[in-house]
């Protein structure tokens, strides 16, 4: 990887999206060029407002482009059971001091790519609606996309259905377009993100760093932890930050390169990421699937990121 990695951050904040944005902002290895929003965890109005509040909190001053109100073809679906009615329930957040771009998400992505001096990585931590729409409307910009590092899917199982993970399930047609695009994909699926667990002692450590950012992050983690404990997890799986952490510190991860396809038709498996783990198709891999993580190293990266943003 050539550092710093220029990225467009596309997500649906969301507690874990917000923490992923913080990791990106805090790292010298990443240069955030723009933020775009999609509907997913909540409606597009709410995820966009949340993106503005998170950018204000962490001091990320880049154009923010609002996405569209619904997936490409599927009916909209949200996750208030996990992220609350606001999409980012828990601690009070500052009101936005950063405005919205006059460009909508796909137009902002296109402009950012056109103006970039070198290929850009798209980080996607929500449904892939914007990235798919970009590829459909601007196929000439494919060469300007170095890779797509995404949180989504799971080789072994899903979390919203037995087969499908939320981000892929919300917009399987978009995911299909992205996985068929030929652009290198890094897939931080449930296989790795459910190992990226945060425990009480981890957010106590972050809270003890002091200051507003540390307090808010600790409360987000606490909120996320309480929900996941209530459904049987032993810690809070920090899904979305894995897609950013891989870019900052790939040595924290184990991976396998597989050919992955999206099931868009299955009665029981719509939205599944089907990986050719036994190499039966003879088709070359299209995705680097993260399979393992140095959990302590990941927590240390998170704590150091909060410390840097809080205290310089
Ligand atoms: C994904 O779903 C969302 O609720 C999270 O923000 C994450 O992107 C995990 O399945
Ligand atoms: Ca998300």
């Amino acid at each position: 990887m050539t550092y710093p990695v220029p990225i467009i951050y596309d997500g649906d904040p969301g507690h874990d999206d917000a923490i992923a944005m913080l990791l990106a902002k805090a790292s010298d290895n990443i240069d955030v060029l723009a933020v775009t929003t999609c509907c997913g965890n909540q409606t597009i109005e709410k995820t966009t407002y949340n993106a503005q509040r998170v950018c204000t909190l962490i001091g990320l001053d880049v154009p923010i482009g609002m996405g569209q109100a619904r997936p490409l073809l599927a009916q909209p679906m949200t996750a208030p059971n996990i992220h609350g009615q606001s999409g980012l329930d828990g601690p009070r957040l500052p009101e936005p001091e950063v405005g919205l771009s006059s460009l909508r998400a796909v137009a902002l992505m296109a402009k950012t790519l056109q103006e970039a001096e070198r290929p850009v990585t798209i980080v996607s931590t929500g449904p892939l609606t914007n990235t798919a729409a970009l590829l459909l409307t601007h196929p000439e910009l494919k060469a300007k996309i170095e890779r797509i590092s995404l949180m989504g899917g799971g080789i072994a199982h899903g979390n919203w259905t037995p087969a499908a993970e939320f981000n892929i399930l919300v917009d399987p047609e978009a995911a299909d377009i992205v996985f068929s695009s030929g652009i290198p994909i890094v897939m931080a699926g449930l296989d790795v993100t459910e190992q990226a667990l945060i425990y009480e002692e981890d957010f106590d450590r972050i809270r003890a760093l002091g200051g507003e950012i540390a307090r808010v992050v600790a409360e987000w983690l606490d909120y996320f932890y309480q929900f996941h404990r209530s459904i049987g997890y032993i810690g809070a799986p920090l899904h979305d930050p894995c897609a950013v952490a891989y870019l900052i510190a790939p040595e924290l991860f184990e991976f396998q390169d597989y050919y992955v396809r999206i099931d868009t038709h299955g009665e029981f498996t719509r939205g599944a990421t089907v990986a050719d783990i036994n190499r039966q198709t003879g088709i070359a891999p299209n995705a680097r699937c993260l399979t393992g993580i140095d959990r302590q190293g990941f927590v240390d990266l998170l704590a150091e990121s909060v410390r840097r943003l809080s205290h310089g």
Side-chain angles (χ1 to χ4, degrees), residues 239-260:
H239 305 288
D240 295 338
C242 291
V244 174
Y246 174 79
L247 300 174
I248 298 172
E251 67 278 5
L252 293 178
F253 293 88
E254 292 161 21
F255 58 81
Q256 296 284 341
D257 292 340
Y258 291 132
Y259 174 57
V260 177

Side-chain angles (χ1 to χ4, degrees), residues 1-311:
M1 231 160 324
T2 312
Y3 290 119
V5 178
I7 72 163
I8 295 171
Y9 188 94
D10 182 55
D12 59 342
H15 297 76
D16 50 340
D17 305 77
I19 293 168
M21 292 166 75
L22 179 146
L23 283 189
K25 163 66 183 168
S27 175
D28 289 338
N29 284 357
I30 297 208
D31 181 14
V32 185
L33 304 178
V35 169
T36 52
T37 59
C38 53
C39 59
N41 285 327
Q42 261 300 350
T43 62
I44 192 65
E45 289 77 16
K46 290 181 181 178
T47 60
T48 303
Y49 175 58
N50 291 343
Q52 290 178 277
R53 295 194 295 166
V54 172
C55 286
T56 301
L57 176 76
I58 65 178
L60 179 57
D61 189 9
V62 296
I64 303 174
M66 182 175 180
Q68 56 194 44
R70 41 171 304 157
L72 293 186
L73 296 177
Q75 291 301 316
M77 187 196 301
T78 57
N81 54 326
I82 302 181
H83 299 275
Q85 285 306 324
S86 70
L88 200 43
D89 277 13
R92 266 180 66 96
L93 295 174
E95 284 306 310
E97 284 168 16
V98 289
L100 284 184
S101 168
S102 58
L103 298 177
R104 297 296 290 250
V106 175
L108 178 59
M109 285 173 141
K111 177 169 183 279
T112 306
L113 292 173
Q114 279 152 359
E115 292 175 354
E117 285 163 15
R118 57 195 181 90
V120 172
T121 294
I122 296 179
V123 173
S124 168
T125 62
L128 285 155
T129 316
N130 288 331
T131 305
L134 173 76
L135 294 174
L136 291 175
T137 52
H138 292 278
E140 79 284 358
L141 290 175
K142 241 178 168 180
K144 302 289 301 267
I145 304 172
E146 180 154 41
R147 68 176 76 75
I148 299 168
S149 183
L150 62 92
M151 189 285 136
I155 297 171
H157 59 90
N159 58 1
W160 278 67
T161 71
E165 179 279 333
F166 180 77
N167 289 339
I168 306 293
L169 183 67
V170 171
D171 200 339
E173 284 74 22
D176 188 27
I177 289 166
V178 169
F179 276 78
S180 316
S181 67
I183 298 167
I185 290 170
V186 177
M187 178 176 134
L190 298 171
D191 315 285
V192 68
T193 67
E194 290 187 340
Q195 298 175 50
L197 291 170
I198 297 290
Y199 303 117
E200 270 178 296
E201 63 260 31
D202 301 320
F203 49 84
D204 285 347
R205 170 183 169 191
I206 287 172
R207 189 180 284 110
L209 292 168
E212 192 195 6
I213 293 176
R215 179 186 58 77
V216 169
V217 171
E219 288 184 34
W220 280 336
L221 291 169
D222 197 352
Y223 185 97
F224 217 48
Y225 176 82
Q226 300 304 339
F227 167 75
H228 283 93
R229 289 285 289 163
S230 75
I231 59 167
Y233 283 75
I234 59 169
L238 268 198
H239 305 288
D240 295 338
C242 291
V244 174
Y246 174 79
L247 300 174
I248 298 172
E251 67 278 5
L252 293 178
F253 293 88
E254 292 161 21
F255 58 81
Q256 296 284 341
D257 292 340
Y258 291 132
Y259 174 57
V260 177
R261 286 213 66 175
I262 308 299
D263 184 354
T264 56
H265 288 101
E267 186 180 354
F268 305 113
T269 52
R270 179 168 153 83
T273 43
V274 182
D276 182 15
I277 56 173
N278 291 322
R279 314 205 185 270
Q280 291 160 306
T281 64
I283 302 175
N286 59 350
R288 172 153 297 180
C289 300
L290 306 185
T291 54
I293 188 169
D294 167 359
R295 193 203 80 90
Q296 193 55 55
F298 174 72
V299 173
D300 292 346
L301 172 66
L302 175 58
E304 173 57 16
S305 302
V306 173
R307 194 201 60 74
R308 280 189 82 171
L309 283 187
S310 306
H311 306 296

